[in-house]
Structures are given as structure tokens and as C-alpha cells.
Amino acid sequence: MSQTLTSDVQTAFLNTLKQLLQDQTQQNPLLLDDDSLNQLLSSKKIYNAYHDLAEQIYELMGFQLEQSAAFQHSLLQRILDQGRLPVYISKAENINSAESIQPLFDHIQMMQNPIDETDVLESVDQLDFLDELYLSPSIEAEADPSFINDCFVATPHQTTSLLSVKSITDIDAKNTDHNQNNASGKPNHEVKMVKKMPHFQIPNARVGQDYQARIQMQYPVKEDVLICSESIKIPDDLGIVFDDEAQQLQGIPLQAGEFKLAFQYKNNEATQAWSSGEVTFIITADPRSLWQVNEPDIHAPYQKAHSDHQLIQTEYFNLAACSQRGRSHEHAGTFRDDDFLIARVAETDWSVLIVADGAGSASYSRQGSLLAVQSAAKTLTDYLEQHHPHLDRLLQQWQVGSDDEMTKSVAQQIYKDFHDTFYKTAQVAIEAIEKEAELKQVAAKAYATTLLVAVVKQCEQKTFISTFWMGDGAIAVYAKDKVRLMGKPDGGEFAGQTRFLDRSFAQQFASRVNIGYYDDCEAVILMTDGISDPRFETDAGLANHEKWQALWQEIEPQLQQPHPDQALLEWSKFFSAGHHDDRTLAILWNKPVSVEGLAHD
């Protein structure tokens, strides 16, 4: 393992030490000078104790952490990924040893260019688990000297309380000649010597994931050893075997737990005698196995199905949509908050695709999303039924890819028409929500929802699209060589927020409406953030063409199935650690992939 800490882990480590050393009664923040602090930072033992605390947090709250998007890419996760630093222990080792002369990192330089402490702790502050951490019982090291011996060089997943660490350190400091006199001339009290046995470790495994790793000696030297394959006993139902030729454990673990594996080993081929060793092999559970599926209260208002899907087929294009309750809602026993609607205007090439994501913090957002898509769809289909001849005539004058005056004039007129129509659409949706809230005698924000809409005319070779985008998620026109994002996620005032459909929608309204006319469109795709977050991670990721290509490679095979909507629904159940929100997708692709065999829903 590398002995160099990553910069973010260095920063978190430094800030933790600074907090521990801060004198709350004085203006001067630190009790130690730079040299003294440098000594602390150069100790691998101190860092490893810090890492063990992170391990304890994960062991106690791993399931809750996996649910939280804040855990992904957080400093806590990176500390766990960094792992422990190798420690070579000898009697003479101390904090001023040759190994410790160079600090693990330059804290003075970091203090001159600090990372805001709130940045370091931000993700942890979002996770309400610290109270449970301190409920874990401490381990009394003095009660069992053999325990001290086992833990002196802790494995990556062995943890001790602060009391245990202090006891271990004190014992090591007293490993001197106890028969010498102290400064007063009186003989020292005899201190029992603790013999340190060889120590081994092996990386953790996870249920269901392919595993290959060697057992390695950590003390008295860090090195690979030769293991007698016949001596190591592994439970038959563990899914793991020992490969004598590769000298490693390998397989796919079938069960979680902590297993003590005894074996015979020698340091090299020349050594004749075998020695006895033991290693703790930890297999962690597959996070997916920890999720529960619970049903909502059958008496709760606004009952909603956990999933939904729809398929529409035409001569030149197909439409499909699906929506799946997220794992977080399954585990909590709550309803799906997302909704969608797709519709074709009869006897025309015009269609409407809508997705909506009800706010997780709003008690009736599942109904808010439903009201929003239904009212928006009615407003838009009514408009298209009446005005599609007018729009068709304008589009006949639009030369795709041209910027001549006629095309500019037509584009401006069509944009104005849809700007006004989407303004009315948003108003009608808000009024529907406010009317429902009044009947329920609650605030309209209890129905908070996003709203993403696309109106599309799909001809055999050309695609016209106009969109309205309020909230997070994504709307895009996908082509093999180019992806056009029809707007941007509509964030709130602070990072991590999103805007919802309410009376403030008129602010910067023009930026929420876009139009385009293309001759290379393969698909129009709308999605809620339950899909966009795990597949694009950030708003900037939405502009990454390679990520869109990767998503299309997942989606396109589903469109070739006899029932694309059902295939997309099954696909949407993919597992992505830290991303467990509802997932809703609506897609129009420009022609049937296979006309024969496709059945109407």
C-alpha cells in the first residue's frame, strides 16, 4: 500500500488534529507549535487510529451510508479507500525514528492554502449517525493481554476504542529495562513484557464479487509467505478456495462474516520447518441484500402503483416510458413520487413526452407530479390539435441547418408560440396543484414537483422539438455523433437544491424554453434525476458525450425487445451505490427497430 496520503485525506486528517488540539478558552487556536504538530502528523499509528474510527463508523452505519448520496465521493469514503498505512514495529521504534523523519504531508503548506473545514465535514454533517457511534462499548485492553498482543498492529478492519489505543501505546513506551533505577534512585516497578507474535492480514472480500488476494505477513516484516495449501481450512460453503499455485484465496464469496483461518507457512522455499499462523478474513455483505421492500400504509391518501410503463407505436416513430419506485422508498415503505405521460396527437406526427419528480420532502408530492403531468398533457395536446396545421406550415419554411432570414423568422415565430403555450401550461399545472391543496387544506408546497416537457414532431427524416424544463433531471436529443442538451438542470439558490413548479416559475422563464429542428436525431430522451444522477453524476457530466453514448448502449437493446416499455422498466432497476431515488424515463426513437413482433400494450 502506498505510504502517501491523498490530498483530501491529508486535509481531513489535519483538520481533525487541529480540532482536537484547539483551546476553546483562548483565541489562539492551537496548543502546539508547527514542529510539534509535524511530529504528530508524521506518525502512522495516529493516522491508522484515525482510519480505524472511519472503519467503526462504516461497520455501525454502513447500510445508512450506502443509502446516502452524500457518502459517495465523500471524505469518509476516501479515507476508507485510502486504507491503513503499513507500520513496521520494533522495540526501538518511536515517533522520532528514522522512518518518521519525513512527515506524511506538509501541514504548514496546507495551512497556508487551507481547504475550508466545512468542505471537509460537509458530507458527514448530512449523515445523522454520530450518536450511534458513541453508543458502541469500549474495549478494555488491560483486561486481556492477549487481546493487546493481537491488536498491536491492527488489521484494516480491526478497531479499538481510544482507551485501547492509549493502553497499547503506554505498554510499548514501557518496553525498556525495568530493572533500571529511575531519577530518584528507587528501582522501577517491574513491567510485564508482552511478546508480539507474527501478524498477518488479507484484504476484505464482498459477497457476490470476484475475489483474489494473498495472505501477507505484516510483522515482524512485511512480506509474502509460502502457505501450505493442505493446512489452510476454509468453510466449504464460503465460496472461497485456496489456489496453491497462485498462493492466494480466490472465488466468489457466498456469505458475509468474520472467519479465522489457521494455516502453516514458511518465509521462503529454503526454510525447512513450517510455522503456525492465523489471519482474520472478513467478508462484507452485498449492500443490495440489506435493502428491504416494505409496503406503504394502505389507508394513506393518494395511493400510487410502485411502477408504471406505456408504449405508443406509429409509422415513423415509437414512444415508450417507464417509472419505478426507488429503493429508498421501498425500504421506507413510502410511495413512488415520480410520474410521466406520453401521448400522440391523433392523425398527426406530433407527440408529447412529460416526466415529473415529486419532492421527497413534500408529503403529497406523488400527487403533485401526477397532477402536473396530466394537466400539462391536456393543455399541450389541446393546443396541438387546434394549431398543428399552422405549425406544420411554418416548419415547411424552416431549412434545417440554415441561418437564412426566412428560417430565422420562422424559428422566432415558433419559439414565441411555444413560449406562450408553455407559460399557460405551467400556470394550469400550478392551479391544479393549488386547487388540490386547498381541498386538502394544506400548503401547495406539500405537492412540490419538477416538470420536464418535450413536444416533438417526428417525420421520417426530421425532428422538431420544443421543451420546457423546470427542475433537475435531463432532456436531450441524442444522435450518434452529437447530443443536444435542451436546457440545463434548474438548481435552487444553494448547491444541491432544485427548483420546483410554483408561482416563481415566471422568473427567467425564457431560459426554460428551447426549440430545435434536426435531421440526425436518433432519439429524444427525458429522465428524472433518479437516472441522470447515477449515469452522469454531476450537471457537468450531462455535457459529456461519452456518458450519453454509454447510456444509449444500455437503452438501445431494450428498444429492440417485443415490449420495449417493459424492458426499459426492468433495466431501470439497476443497482448503483448511493443512488436509490425513483427512476423515470420517457423516450421517442425515430423509427421502429423491428416492426414485426412489436405488440401494442
Side-chain angles (χ1 to χ4, degrees), residues 453-485:
V453 183
V455 174
V456 184
K457 180 180 181 181
Q458 180 62 56
C459 302
E460 188 172 3
Q461 300 295 333
K462 297 178 183 178
T463 304
F464 169 81
I465 181 171
S466 183
T467 61
F468 171 72
W469 187 330
M470 171 69 80
D472 48 22
I475 309 175
V477 176
Y478 178 82
K480 181 178 180 180
D481 300 321
K482 189 173 186 179
V483 175
R484 301 169 178 93
L485 202 61

PDB file of all heavy atoms in Angstrom, residues 453-485:
ATOM      1  N   VAL A 453     -40.858  18.761 -20.021  1.00  0.00           N
ATOM      2  CA  VAL A 453     -41.802  18.519 -21.109  1.00  0.00           C
ATOM      3  C   VAL A 453     -41.093  18.640 -22.453  1.00  0.00           C
ATOM      4  O   VAL A 453     -40.269  19.545 -22.646  1.00  0.00           O
ATOM      5  CB  VAL A 453     -42.968  19.526 -21.063  1.00  0.00           C
ATOM      6  CG1 VAL A 453     -43.988  19.205 -22.158  1.00  0.00           C
ATOM      7  CG2 VAL A 453     -43.632  19.541 -19.697  1.00  0.00           C
ATOM      8  N   ALA A 454     -41.425  17.757 -23.379  1.00  0.00           N
ATOM      9  CA  ALA A 454     -40.954  17.859 -24.755  1.00  0.00           C
ATOM     10  C   ALA A 454     -42.127  17.672 -25.704  1.00  0.00           C
ATOM     11  O   ALA A 454     -42.883  16.706 -25.585  1.00  0.00           O
ATOM     12  CB  ALA A 454     -39.882  16.819 -25.042  1.00  0.00           C
ATOM     13  N   VAL A 455     -42.288  18.623 -26.629  1.00  0.00           N
ATOM     14  CA  VAL A 455     -43.254  18.498 -27.718  1.00  0.00           C
ATOM     15  C   VAL A 455     -42.442  18.206 -28.975  1.00  0.00           C
ATOM     16  O   VAL A 455     -41.521  18.945 -29.314  1.00  0.00           O
ATOM     17  CB  VAL A 455     -44.081  19.773 -27.892  1.00  0.00           C
ATOM     18  CG1 VAL A 455     -44.980  19.668 -29.121  1.00  0.00           C
ATOM     19  CG2 VAL A 455     -44.915  20.041 -26.643  1.00  0.00           C
ATOM     20  N   VAL A 456     -42.772  17.114 -29.658  1.00  0.00           N
ATOM     21  CA  VAL A 456     -41.948  16.644 -30.773  1.00  0.00           C
ATOM     22  C   VAL A 456     -42.802  16.407 -32.010  1.00  0.00           C
ATOM     23  O   VAL A 456     -43.886  15.819 -31.927  1.00  0.00           O
ATOM     24  CB  VAL A 456     -41.219  15.330 -30.408  1.00  0.00           C
ATOM     25  CG1 VAL A 456     -40.291  14.900 -31.553  1.00  0.00           C
ATOM     26  CG2 VAL A 456     -40.430  15.490 -29.117  1.00  0.00           C
ATOM     27  N   LYS A 457     -42.300  16.883 -33.173  1.00  0.00           N
ATOM     28  CA  LYS A 457     -42.852  16.449 -34.459  1.00  0.00           C
ATOM     29  C   LYS A 457     -41.784  15.594 -35.122  1.00  0.00           C
ATOM     30  O   LYS A 457     -40.711  16.082 -35.464  1.00  0.00           O
ATOM     31  CB  LYS A 457     -43.219  17.611 -35.365  1.00  0.00           C
ATOM     32  CG  LYS A 457     -43.781  17.082 -36.690  1.00  0.00           C
ATOM     33  CD  LYS A 457     -44.191  18.149 -37.668  1.00  0.00           C
ATOM     34  CE  LYS A 457     -44.747  17.463 -38.932  1.00  0.00           C
ATOM     35  NZ  LYS A 457     -45.160  18.443 -39.961  1.00  0.00           N
ATOM     36  N   GLN A 458     -42.104  14.316 -35.284  1.00  0.00           N
ATOM     37  CA  GLN A 458     -41.130  13.368 -35.838  1.00  0.00           C
ATOM     38  C   GLN A 458     -41.579  12.935 -37.232  1.00  0.00           C
ATOM     39  O   GLN A 458     -42.558  12.199 -37.375  1.00  0.00           O
ATOM     40  CB  GLN A 458     -40.990  12.153 -34.923  1.00  0.00           C
ATOM     41  CG  GLN A 458     -40.011  11.117 -35.408  1.00  0.00           C
ATOM     42  CD  GLN A 458     -38.602  11.675 -35.494  1.00  0.00           C
ATOM     43  OE1 GLN A 458     -38.078  12.176 -34.498  1.00  0.00           O
ATOM     44  NE2 GLN A 458     -37.991  11.600 -36.660  1.00  0.00           N
ATOM     45  N   CYS A 459     -40.888  13.438 -38.232  1.00  0.00           N
ATOM     46  CA  CYS A 459     -41.126  12.971 -39.590  1.00  0.00           C
ATOM     47  C   CYS A 459     -40.127  11.870 -39.906  1.00  0.00           C
ATOM     48  O   CYS A 459     -39.328  11.477 -39.061  1.00  0.00           O
ATOM     49  CB  CYS A 459     -40.996  14.134 -40.583  1.00  0.00           C
ATOM     50  SG  CYS A 459     -42.113  15.507 -40.240  1.00  0.00           S
ATOM     51  N   GLU A 460     -40.151  11.414 -41.134  1.00  0.00           N
ATOM     52  CA  GLU A 460     -39.284  10.294 -41.481  1.00  0.00           C
ATOM     53  C   GLU A 460     -37.819  10.668 -41.357  1.00  0.00           C
ATOM     54  O   GLU A 460     -36.995   9.849 -40.968  1.00  0.00           O
ATOM     55  CB  GLU A 460     -39.594   9.813 -42.894  1.00  0.00           C
ATOM     56  CG  GLU A 460     -38.872   8.536 -43.264  1.00  0.00           C
ATOM     57  CD  GLU A 460     -39.345   7.979 -44.590  1.00  0.00           C
ATOM     58  OE1 GLU A 460     -40.200   8.625 -45.237  1.00  0.00           O
ATOM     59  OE2 GLU A 460     -38.875   6.896 -44.975  1.00  0.00           O
ATOM     60  N   GLN A 461     -37.460  11.905 -41.700  1.00  0.00           N
ATOM     61  CA  GLN A 461     -36.062  12.305 -41.711  1.00  0.00           C
ATOM     62  C   GLN A 461     -35.749  13.490 -40.805  1.00  0.00           C
ATOM     63  O   GLN A 461     -34.587  13.820 -40.614  1.00  0.00           O
ATOM     64  CB  GLN A 461     -35.623  12.663 -43.136  1.00  0.00           C
ATOM     65  CG  GLN A 461     -35.747  11.521 -44.132  1.00  0.00           C
ATOM     66  CD  GLN A 461     -34.825  10.356 -43.819  1.00  0.00           C
ATOM     67  OE1 GLN A 461     -33.769  10.544 -43.208  1.00  0.00           O
ATOM     68  NE2 GLN A 461     -35.214   9.153 -44.212  1.00  0.00           N
ATOM     69  N   LYS A 462     -36.747  14.138 -40.251  1.00  0.00           N
ATOM     70  CA  LYS A 462     -36.518  15.358 -39.491  1.00  0.00           C
ATOM     71  C   LYS A 462     -37.229  15.285 -38.144  1.00  0.00           C
ATOM     72  O   LYS A 462     -38.286  14.662 -38.008  1.00  0.00           O
ATOM     73  CB  LYS A 462     -37.002  16.587 -40.259  1.00  0.00           C
ATOM     74  CG  LYS A 462     -36.271  16.839 -41.572  1.00  0.00           C
ATOM     75  CD  LYS A 462     -36.856  18.051 -42.270  1.00  0.00           C
ATOM     76  CE  LYS A 462     -36.197  18.300 -43.621  1.00  0.00           C
ATOM     77  NZ  LYS A 462     -36.793  19.452 -44.319  1.00  0.00           N
ATOM     78  N   THR A 463     -36.643  15.974 -37.168  1.00  0.00           N
ATOM     79  CA  THR A 463     -37.210  16.007 -35.816  1.00  0.00           C
ATOM     80  C   THR A 463     -37.261  17.451 -35.332  1.00  0.00           C
ATOM     81  O   THR A 463     -36.221  18.112 -35.193  1.00  0.00           O
ATOM     82  CB  THR A 463     -36.358  15.193 -34.828  1.00  0.00           C
ATOM     83  OG1 THR A 463     -36.218  13.863 -35.297  1.00  0.00           O
ATOM     84  CG2 THR A 463     -36.992  15.190 -33.441  1.00  0.00           C
ATOM     85  N   PHE A 464     -38.479  17.945 -35.073  1.00  0.00           N
ATOM     86  CA  PHE A 464     -38.635  19.243 -34.420  1.00  0.00           C
ATOM     87  C   PHE A 464     -38.956  18.996 -32.958  1.00  0.00           C
ATOM     88  O   PHE A 464     -39.740  18.103 -32.620  1.00  0.00           O
ATOM     89  CB  PHE A 464     -39.761  20.068 -35.044  1.00  0.00           C
ATOM     90  CG  PHE A 464     -40.098  21.286 -34.227  1.00  0.00           C
ATOM     91  CD1 PHE A 464     -39.331  22.441 -34.312  1.00  0.00           C
ATOM     92  CD2 PHE A 464     -41.160  21.265 -33.332  1.00  0.00           C
ATOM     93  CE1 PHE A 464     -39.618  23.554 -33.530  1.00  0.00           C
ATOM     94  CE2 PHE A 464     -41.462  22.379 -32.544  1.00  0.00           C
ATOM     95  CZ  PHE A 464     -40.681  23.521 -32.645  1.00  0.00           C
ATOM     96  N   ILE A 465     -38.359  19.798 -32.095  1.00  0.00           N
ATOM     97  CA  ILE A 465     -38.610  19.638 -30.658  1.00  0.00           C
ATOM     98  C   ILE A 465     -38.669  21.005 -29.982  1.00  0.00           C
ATOM     99  O   ILE A 465     -37.903  21.923 -30.319  1.00  0.00           O
ATOM    100  CB  ILE A 465     -37.520  18.762 -29.997  1.00  0.00           C
ATOM    101  CG1 ILE A 465     -37.805  18.579 -28.499  1.00  0.00           C
ATOM    102  CG2 ILE A 465     -36.128  19.327 -30.229  1.00  0.00           C
ATOM    103  CD1 ILE A 465     -36.903  17.556 -27.809  1.00  0.00           C
ATOM    104  N   SER A 466     -39.604  21.133 -29.075  1.00  0.00           N
ATOM    105  CA  SER A 466     -39.655  22.296 -28.187  1.00  0.00           C
ATOM    106  C   SER A 466     -39.817  21.774 -26.767  1.00  0.00           C
ATOM    107  O   SER A 466     -40.591  20.839 -26.526  1.00  0.00           O
ATOM    108  CB  SER A 466     -40.816  23.222 -28.540  1.00  0.00           C
ATOM    109  OG  SER A 466     -40.795  24.370 -27.702  1.00  0.00           O
ATOM    110  N   THR A 467     -39.064  22.355 -25.836  1.00  0.00           N
ATOM    111  CA  THR A 467     -39.032  21.816 -24.469  1.00  0.00           C
ATOM    112  C   THR A 467     -39.267  22.891 -23.423  1.00  0.00           C
ATOM    113  O   THR A 467     -38.980  24.077 -23.636  1.00  0.00           O
ATOM    114  CB  THR A 467     -37.670  21.152 -24.188  1.00  0.00           C
ATOM    115  OG1 THR A 467     -36.631  22.140 -24.301  1.00  0.00           O
ATOM    116  CG2 THR A 467     -37.404  20.029 -25.164  1.00  0.00           C
ATOM    117  N   PHE A 468     -39.779  22.426 -22.285  1.00  0.00           N
ATOM    118  CA  PHE A 468     -39.877  23.246 -21.068  1.00  0.00           C
ATOM    119  C   PHE A 468     -39.241  22.445 -19.948  1.00  0.00           C
ATOM    120  O   PHE A 468     -39.555  21.268 -19.753  1.00  0.00           O
ATOM    121  CB  PHE A 468     -41.345  23.540 -20.739  1.00  0.00           C
ATOM    122  CG  PHE A 468     -41.537  24.186 -19.395  1.00  0.00           C
ATOM    123  CD1 PHE A 468     -41.174  25.500 -19.166  1.00  0.00           C
ATOM    124  CD2 PHE A 468     -42.101  23.460 -18.353  1.00  0.00           C
ATOM    125  CE1 PHE A 468     -41.356  26.088 -17.921  1.00  0.00           C
ATOM    126  CE2 PHE A 468     -42.290  24.041 -17.107  1.00  0.00           C
ATOM    127  CZ  PHE A 468     -41.917  25.358 -16.896  1.00  0.00           C
ATOM    128  N   TRP A 469     -38.342  23.080 -19.188  1.00  0.00           N
ATOM    129  CA  TRP A 469     -37.512  22.359 -18.206  1.00  0.00           C
ATOM    130  C   TRP A 469     -37.545  23.109 -16.883  1.00  0.00           C
ATOM    131  O   TRP A 469     -37.007  24.194 -16.767  1.00  0.00           O
ATOM    132  CB  TRP A 469     -36.085  22.285 -18.752  1.00  0.00           C
ATOM    133  CG  TRP A 469     -35.099  21.439 -17.985  1.00  0.00           C
ATOM    134  CD1 TRP A 469     -35.087  21.185 -16.651  1.00  0.00           C
ATOM    135  CD2 TRP A 469     -33.952  20.780 -18.542  1.00  0.00           C
ATOM    136  NE1 TRP A 469     -34.014  20.395 -16.328  1.00  0.00           N
ATOM    137  CE2 TRP A 469     -33.296  20.135 -17.476  1.00  0.00           C
ATOM    138  CE3 TRP A 469     -33.412  20.680 -19.815  1.00  0.00           C
ATOM    139  CZ2 TRP A 469     -32.115  19.401 -17.657  1.00  0.00           C
ATOM    140  CZ3 TRP A 469     -32.252  19.958 -20.000  1.00  0.00           C
ATOM    141  CH2 TRP A 469     -31.615  19.317 -18.918  1.00  0.00           C
ATOM    142  N   MET A 470     -38.205  22.521 -15.903  1.00  0.00           N
ATOM    143  CA  MET A 470     -38.268  23.104 -14.554  1.00  0.00           C
ATOM    144  C   MET A 470     -37.838  22.051 -13.544  1.00  0.00           C
ATOM    145  O   MET A 470     -38.557  21.091 -13.279  1.00  0.00           O
ATOM    146  CB  MET A 470     -39.693  23.582 -14.237  1.00  0.00           C
ATOM    147  CG  MET A 470     -39.915  24.005 -12.785  1.00  0.00           C
ATOM    148  SD  MET A 470     -39.045  25.523 -12.305  1.00  0.00           S
ATOM    149  CE  MET A 470     -40.159  26.760 -12.982  1.00  0.00           C
ATOM    150  N   GLY A 471     -36.622  22.207 -13.011  1.00  0.00           N
ATOM    151  CA  GLY A 471     -36.116  21.263 -12.020  1.00  0.00           C
ATOM    152  C   GLY A 471     -34.918  20.497 -12.539  1.00  0.00           C
ATOM    153  O   GLY A 471     -34.322  20.833 -13.558  1.00  0.00           O
ATOM    154  N   ASP A 472     -34.539  19.431 -11.804  1.00  0.00           N
ATOM    155  CA  ASP A 472     -33.390  18.631 -12.219  1.00  0.00           C
ATOM    156  C   ASP A 472     -33.848  17.508 -13.140  1.00  0.00           C
ATOM    157  O   ASP A 472     -34.988  17.455 -13.566  1.00  0.00           O
ATOM    158  CB  ASP A 472     -32.630  18.093 -11.011  1.00  0.00           C
ATOM    159  CG  ASP A 472     -33.555  17.465  -9.984  1.00  0.00           C
ATOM    160  OD1 ASP A 472     -34.679  17.069 -10.352  1.00  0.00           O
ATOM    161  OD2 ASP A 472     -33.160  17.361  -8.812  1.00  0.00           O
ATOM    162  N   GLY A 473     -32.925  16.595 -13.480  1.00  0.00           N
ATOM    163  CA  GLY A 473     -33.197  15.598 -14.496  1.00  0.00           C
ATOM    164  C   GLY A 473     -32.538  16.019 -15.798  1.00  0.00           C
ATOM    165  O   GLY A 473     -31.558  16.768 -15.797  1.00  0.00           O
ATOM    166  N   ALA A 474     -33.078  15.581 -16.946  1.00  0.00           N
ATOM    167  CA  ALA A 474     -32.453  15.924 -18.225  1.00  0.00           C
ATOM    168  C   ALA A 474     -33.417  15.714 -19.381  1.00  0.00           C
ATOM    169  O   ALA A 474     -34.284  14.838 -19.342  1.00  0.00           O
ATOM    170  CB  ALA A 474     -31.196  15.090 -18.452  1.00  0.00           C
ATOM    171  N   ILE A 475     -33.251  16.561 -20.428  1.00  0.00           N
ATOM    172  CA  ILE A 475     -33.918  16.387 -21.717  1.00  0.00           C
ATOM    173  C   ILE A 475     -32.828  16.516 -22.776  1.00  0.00           C
ATOM    174  O   ILE A 475     -32.059  17.482 -22.771  1.00  0.00           O
ATOM    175  CB  ILE A 475     -34.994  17.457 -21.985  1.00  0.00           C
ATOM    176  CG1 ILE A 475     -35.968  17.584 -20.808  1.00  0.00           C
ATOM    177  CG2 ILE A 475     -35.749  17.141 -23.282  1.00  0.00           C
ATOM    178  CD1 ILE A 475     -36.984  18.710 -20.982  1.00  0.00           C
ATOM    179  N   ALA A 476     -32.770  15.551 -23.694  1.00  0.00           N
ATOM    180  CA  ALA A 476     -31.721  15.601 -24.705  1.00  0.00           C
ATOM    181  C   ALA A 476     -32.216  15.030 -26.018  1.00  0.00           C
ATOM    182  O   ALA A 476     -33.087  14.152 -26.057  1.00  0.00           O
ATOM    183  CB  ALA A 476     -30.490  14.829 -24.240  1.00  0.00           C
ATOM    184  N   VAL A 477     -31.627  15.555 -27.110  1.00  0.00           N
ATOM    185  CA  VAL A 477     -31.799  14.979 -28.440  1.00  0.00           C
ATOM    186  C   VAL A 477     -30.520  14.200 -28.728  1.00  0.00           C
ATOM    187  O   VAL A 477     -29.434  14.793 -28.826  1.00  0.00           O
ATOM    188  CB  VAL A 477     -32.023  16.071 -29.499  1.00  0.00           C
ATOM    189  CG1 VAL A 477     -32.106  15.450 -30.888  1.00  0.00           C
ATOM    190  CG2 VAL A 477     -33.294  16.859 -29.189  1.00  0.00           C
ATOM    191  N   TYR A 478     -30.666  12.893 -28.841  1.00  0.00           N
ATOM    192  CA  TYR A 478     -29.491  12.041 -28.997  1.00  0.00           C
ATOM    193  C   TYR A 478     -29.246  11.703 -30.456  1.00  0.00           C
ATOM    194  O   TYR A 478     -30.157  11.288 -31.184  1.00  0.00           O
ATOM    195  CB  TYR A 478     -29.654  10.738 -28.206  1.00  0.00           C
ATOM    196  CG  TYR A 478     -28.471   9.799 -28.393  1.00  0.00           C
ATOM    197  CD1 TYR A 478     -27.311   9.972 -27.641  1.00  0.00           C
ATOM    198  CD2 TYR A 478     -28.506   8.788 -29.352  1.00  0.00           C
ATOM    199  CE1 TYR A 478     -26.216   9.141 -27.828  1.00  0.00           C
ATOM    200  CE2 TYR A 478     -27.410   7.954 -29.542  1.00  0.00           C
ATOM    201  CZ  TYR A 478     -26.265   8.140 -28.777  1.00  0.00           C
ATOM    202  OH  TYR A 478     -25.173   7.326 -28.977  1.00  0.00           O
ATOM    203  N   ALA A 479     -28.011  11.904 -30.904  1.00  0.00           N
ATOM    204  CA  ALA A 479     -27.530  11.438 -32.199  1.00  0.00           C
ATOM    205  C   ALA A 479     -26.207  10.748 -31.960  1.00  0.00           C
ATOM    206  O   ALA A 479     -25.521  11.002 -30.959  1.00  0.00           O
ATOM    207  CB  ALA A 479     -27.379  12.597 -33.178  1.00  0.00           C
ATOM    208  N   LYS A 480     -25.826   9.882 -32.884  1.00  0.00           N
ATOM    209  CA  LYS A 480     -24.624   9.079 -32.695  1.00  0.00           C
ATOM    210  C   LYS A 480     -23.394   9.937 -32.466  1.00  0.00           C
ATOM    211  O   LYS A 480     -22.554   9.632 -31.615  1.00  0.00           O
ATOM    212  CB  LYS A 480     -24.408   8.174 -33.906  1.00  0.00           C
ATOM    213  CG  LYS A 480     -23.188   7.273 -33.796  1.00  0.00           C
ATOM    214  CD  LYS A 480     -23.066   6.372 -34.997  1.00  0.00           C
ATOM    215  CE  LYS A 480     -21.841   5.478 -34.886  1.00  0.00           C
ATOM    216  NZ  LYS A 480     -21.696   4.586 -36.068  1.00  0.00           N
ATOM    217  N   ASP A 481     -23.292  11.029 -33.222  1.00  0.00           N
ATOM    218  CA  ASP A 481     -22.091  11.865 -33.152  1.00  0.00           C
ATOM    219  C   ASP A 481     -22.286  13.147 -32.377  1.00  0.00           C
ATOM    220  O   ASP A 481     -21.335  13.924 -32.218  1.00  0.00           O
ATOM    221  CB  ASP A 481     -21.603  12.203 -34.571  1.00  0.00           C
ATOM    222  CG  ASP A 481     -21.251  10.955 -35.370  1.00  0.00           C
ATOM    223  OD1 ASP A 481     -20.673  10.029 -34.764  1.00  0.00           O
ATOM    224  OD2 ASP A 481     -21.586  10.905 -36.562  1.00  0.00           O
ATOM    225  N   LYS A 482     -23.507  13.384 -31.888  1.00  0.00           N
ATOM    226  CA  LYS A 482     -23.754  14.650 -31.210  1.00  0.00           C
ATOM    227  C   LYS A 482     -24.967  14.532 -30.306  1.00  0.00           C
ATOM    228  O   LYS A 482     -25.959  13.886 -30.671  1.00  0.00           O
ATOM    229  CB  LYS A 482     -23.977  15.762 -32.242  1.00  0.00           C
ATOM    230  CG  LYS A 482     -24.023  17.166 -31.660  1.00  0.00           C
ATOM    231  CD  LYS A 482     -24.068  18.196 -32.782  1.00  0.00           C
ATOM    232  CE  LYS A 482     -23.976  19.609 -32.232  1.00  0.00           C
ATOM    233  NZ  LYS A 482     -23.994  20.611 -33.327  1.00  0.00           N
ATOM    234  N   VAL A 483     -24.886  15.136 -29.153  1.00  0.00           N
ATOM    235  CA  VAL A 483     -26.016  15.170 -28.229  1.00  0.00           C
ATOM    236  C   VAL A 483     -26.323  16.623 -27.921  1.00  0.00           C
ATOM    237  O   VAL A 483     -25.428  17.407 -27.574  1.00  0.00           O
ATOM    238  CB  VAL A 483     -25.713  14.400 -26.926  1.00  0.00           C
ATOM    239  CG1 VAL A 483     -26.859  14.564 -25.942  1.00  0.00           C
ATOM    240  CG2 VAL A 483     -25.494  12.926 -27.222  1.00  0.00           C
ATOM    241  N   ARG A 484     -27.591  16.989 -28.050  1.00  0.00           N
ATOM    242  CA  ARG A 484     -28.015  18.366 -27.784  1.00  0.00           C
ATOM    243  C   ARG A 484     -28.840  18.383 -26.504  1.00  0.00           C
ATOM    244  O   ARG A 484     -29.928  17.811 -26.459  1.00  0.00           O
ATOM    245  CB  ARG A 484     -28.820  18.906 -28.961  1.00  0.00           C
ATOM    246  CG  ARG A 484     -28.027  18.895 -30.272  1.00  0.00           C
ATOM    247  CD  ARG A 484     -28.940  19.174 -31.462  1.00  0.00           C
ATOM    248  NE  ARG A 484     -28.196  19.205 -32.714  1.00  0.00           N
ATOM    249  CZ  ARG A 484     -28.027  18.144 -33.502  1.00  0.00           C
ATOM    250  NH1 ARG A 484     -28.533  16.966 -33.138  1.00  0.00           N
ATOM    251  NH2 ARG A 484     -27.367  18.257 -34.641  1.00  0.00           N
ATOM    252  N   LEU A 485     -28.291  19.010 -25.476  1.00  0.00           N
ATOM    253  CA  LEU A 485     -29.000  19.126 -24.199  1.00  0.00           C
ATOM    254  C   LEU A 485     -29.964  20.302 -24.310  1.00  0.00           C
ATOM    255  O   LEU A 485     -29.549  21.433 -24.567  1.00  0.00           O
ATOM    256  CB  LEU A 485     -27.986  19.359 -23.071  1.00  0.00           C
ATOM    257  CG  LEU A 485     -28.410  19.007 -21.651  1.00  0.00           C
ATOM    258  CD1 LEU A 485     -28.731  17.528 -21.548  1.00  0.00           C
ATOM    259  CD2 LEU A 485     -27.314  19.399 -20.666  1.00  0.00           C
TER     260      LEU A 485
END
